[in-house]
């Protein structure tokens, strides 16, 4: 069962038309967004009569809107406007929270609140939970909701990667990595579904109104941006896993070398024999050094490797900044192209009108 939106009417306003009337500003809070609707009192009375006719059975809605006042106007009486606002807010909230959902499932209720149809909501809920993995997205509203869930999965993956980077224990790192991979796999599946959904939305055979070319381009850009973000997070997670493996190997090698040095020193001091250094594997840099010198050389090499890693990290950071600047520039260029496209369409329309007029003159 999906959660109902939170409905309230926090304030009213007055229209600026020649014949002013009171506007009731309805605020709806959904899990992923919040928006405001503007309704007149007559819209509420129409809703109530439509609910009474559409609801199954003879039972009317559990509450009625406040009666119409024939002797005073809400635009001239703030007290009347406030009392009607409270009554209308209570009217919506009672229907929204009533145990009987027959009125909430009507098209009148969902159209009044600009909510998707109940079939769309069920399809979206099933798509998110994988219940209809073989079913394609054929509704533009479901596509947008699915894209919001994709952004949520990418955000959760980024959060788990951050927790992995801040974790101090190996178990916590493994748990965060597993959670991040789970979100990334889910995001990859959702990207494929969104791409297939765009193909369906661009095809008239599904019985839906075909999206415009500009909207299709915008949604393709959203999918491409999400794909790049997912690939970047996946590469970052793999790099962190590789770094952890290298750190573990270095720590293990360091511990092994330390044990060898201690064994060699014990043998020189007449203690239990150890393996010692193998002369056949000596290099020009280590052949003239004693054990302490080899240890210092190894520490120096490790410091140099750390410096190289720092230089590489700085280069990667610069590349990241360049990529961000390129993305910002592409966004600006995209907006300019869209404006140019609109200008071209507008000029084309004017040229068509001019051609028609010239044809009439001829």
């Amino acid at each position: 069962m999906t959660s109902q939106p939170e409905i309230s009417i926090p304030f009213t306003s007055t229209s600026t038309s020649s014949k002013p009337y009171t506007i009731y500003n309805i605020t709806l809070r959904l899990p992923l967004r919040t928006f405001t609707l503007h309704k007149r009192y007559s819209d509420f009375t129409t809703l109530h009569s439509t609910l009474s006719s559409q609801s199954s059975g003879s039972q009317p809605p559990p509450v009625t809107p406040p009666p119409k006042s024939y002797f005073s106007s809400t635009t001239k009486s703030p007290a009347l406007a406030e009392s009607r606002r409270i009554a209308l807010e209570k009217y919506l909230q009672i229907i929204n929270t009533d145990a009987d959902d027959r009125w909430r499932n009507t098209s009148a209720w969902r159209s009044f609140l600009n909510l998707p149809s109940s079939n769309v909501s069920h399809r979206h809920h099933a798509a998110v939970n994988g219940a209809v993995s073989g079913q394609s997205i054929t509704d533009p509203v479901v596509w947008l909701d699915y894209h919001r869930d994709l952004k949520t999965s990418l955000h959760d993956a980024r959060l788990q990667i951050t927790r992995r980077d801040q974790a101090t224990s190996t178990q916590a790192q493994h748990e965060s990595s597993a959670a991040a991979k789970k979100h990334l796999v889910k995001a990859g599946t959702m990207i494929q579904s969104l791409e297939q959904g765009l193909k369906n939305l661009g095809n008239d055979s599904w019985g839906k109104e075909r999206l415009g070319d500009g909207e299709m381009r915008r949604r393709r850009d959203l999918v491409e941006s999400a794909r790049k973000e997912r690939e970047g997070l996946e590469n970052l997670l793999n790099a962190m896993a590789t770094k952890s493996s290298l750190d573990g190997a270095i720590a293990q090698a360091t511990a092994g070398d330390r044990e060898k040095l201690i064994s060699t020193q014990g043998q020189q001091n007449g203690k239990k024999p150890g393996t010692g250094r193998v002369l056949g594997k000596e290099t020009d840099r280590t052949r003239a050094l004693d054990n302490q010198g080899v240890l210092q050389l190894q520490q120096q090499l490790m410091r140099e490797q750390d410096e190289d890693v720092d230089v590489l990290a700085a280069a990667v950071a610069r590349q990241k900044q360049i990529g961000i600047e390129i993305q910002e520039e592409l966004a600006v260029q995209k907006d300019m192209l869209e404006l140019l496209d609109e200008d071209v369409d507008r000029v084309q329309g004017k040229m068509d009108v001019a051609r028609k007029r010239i044809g009439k003159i001829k």
Side-chain angles (χ1 to χ4, degrees), residues 183-252:
H183 290 301
L184 290 176
V185 170
K186 180 181 178 182
T189 304
M190 297 177 76
I191 289 174
Q192 295 177 0
S193 300
L194 289 174
E195 289 178 338
Q196 183 61 38
L198 283 180
K199 295 179 181 178
N200 298 335
L201 295 176
N203 190 354
D204 296 332
S205 62
W206 284 93
K208 301 285 184 179
E209 183 179 356
R210 185 180 182 274
L211 294 177
D213 294 337
E215 180 64 15
M216 290 293 292
R217 286 196 301 268
R218 187 183 75 86
R219 297 195 179 196
R220 289 193 189 98
D221 292 340
L222 291 176
V223 175
E224 185 63 24
S225 177
R227 178 187 288 105
K228 291 181 179 179
E229 183 177 359
R230 178 191 174 278
E231 291 176 354
L233 292 175
E234 188 174 17
N235 293 335
L236 178 59
L237 182 62
N238 293 335
M240 293 176 67
T242 303
K243 182 178 181 299
S244 298
S245 300
L246 291 176
D247 292 341
I250 292 175
Q252 184 177 3

Side-chain angles (χ1 to χ4, degrees), residues 41-255:
Y41 173 76
S42 59
D43 297 329
F44 287 88
T45 57
T46 303
L47 170 66
H48 184 73
S49 60
T50 309
L51 287 177
S52 300
S53 61
Q54 288 186 357
S55 60
S56 57
S58 59
Q59 182 180 359
V63 65
T64 58
K68 182 178 178 62
S69 177
Y70 294 96
F71 302 102
S72 61
S73 173
T74 55
T75 58
K76 299 179 180 179
S77 175
L80 177 60
E82 178 62 17
S83 62
R84 181 171 289 180
R85 180 195 68 80
I86 296 174
L88 291 175
E89 182 181 58
K90 184 178 180 181
Y91 171 78
L92 294 178
Q93 290 176 349
I94 289 177
I95 296 179
N96 187 54
T97 58
D98 192 78
D100 192 350
D101 62 350
R102 74 177 72 180
W103 300 283
R104 293 192 298 271
N105 290 333
T106 60
S107 59
W109 173 263
R110 294 188 170 274
S111 176
F112 181 82
L113 298 178
N114 282 359
L115 296 174
S117 65
S118 58
N119 291 334
V120 170
S121 298
H122 293 157
R123 286 201 307 269
H124 166 64
H125 181 72
V128 171
N129 291 276
V132 289
S133 57
Q135 183 177 0
S136 300
I137 301 174
T138 59
D139 191 284
V141 178
V142 174
W143 195 97
L144 292 176
D145 291 339
Y146 210 67
H147 179 263
R148 293 191 194 97
D149 293 325
L150 169 61
K151 299 296 290 184
T152 301
S153 296
L154 293 175
H155 174 74
D156 293 340
R158 187 183 300 105
L159 180 62
Q160 293 296 336
I161 291 175
T162 303
R163 290 177 178 174
R164 186 203 183 285
D165 186 44
Q166 298 175 352
T168 56
S169 63
T170 304
Q171 181 179 358
Q173 290 180 355
H174 289 334
E175 292 177 353
S176 299
S177 296
K181 289 180 180 178
K182 178 180 178 182
H183 290 301
L184 290 176
V185 170
K186 180 181 178 182
T189 304
M190 297 177 76
I191 289 174
Q192 295 177 0
S193 300
L194 289 174
E195 289 178 338
Q196 183 61 38
L198 283 180
K199 295 179 181 178
N200 298 335
L201 295 176
N203 190 354
D204 296 332
S205 62
W206 284 93
K208 301 285 184 179
E209 183 179 356
R210 185 180 182 274
L211 294 177
D213 294 337
E215 180 64 15
M216 290 293 292
R217 286 196 301 268
R218 187 183 75 86
R219 297 195 179 196
R220 289 193 189 98
D221 292 340
L222 291 176
V223 175
E224 185 63 24
S225 177
R227 178 187 288 105
K228 291 181 179 179
E229 183 177 359
R230 178 191 174 278
E231 291 176 354
L233 292 175
E234 188 174 17
N235 293 335
L236 178 59
L237 182 62
N238 293 335
M240 293 176 67
T242 303
K243 182 178 181 299
S244 298
S245 300
L246 291 176
D247 292 341
I250 292 175
Q252 184 177 3
T254 303

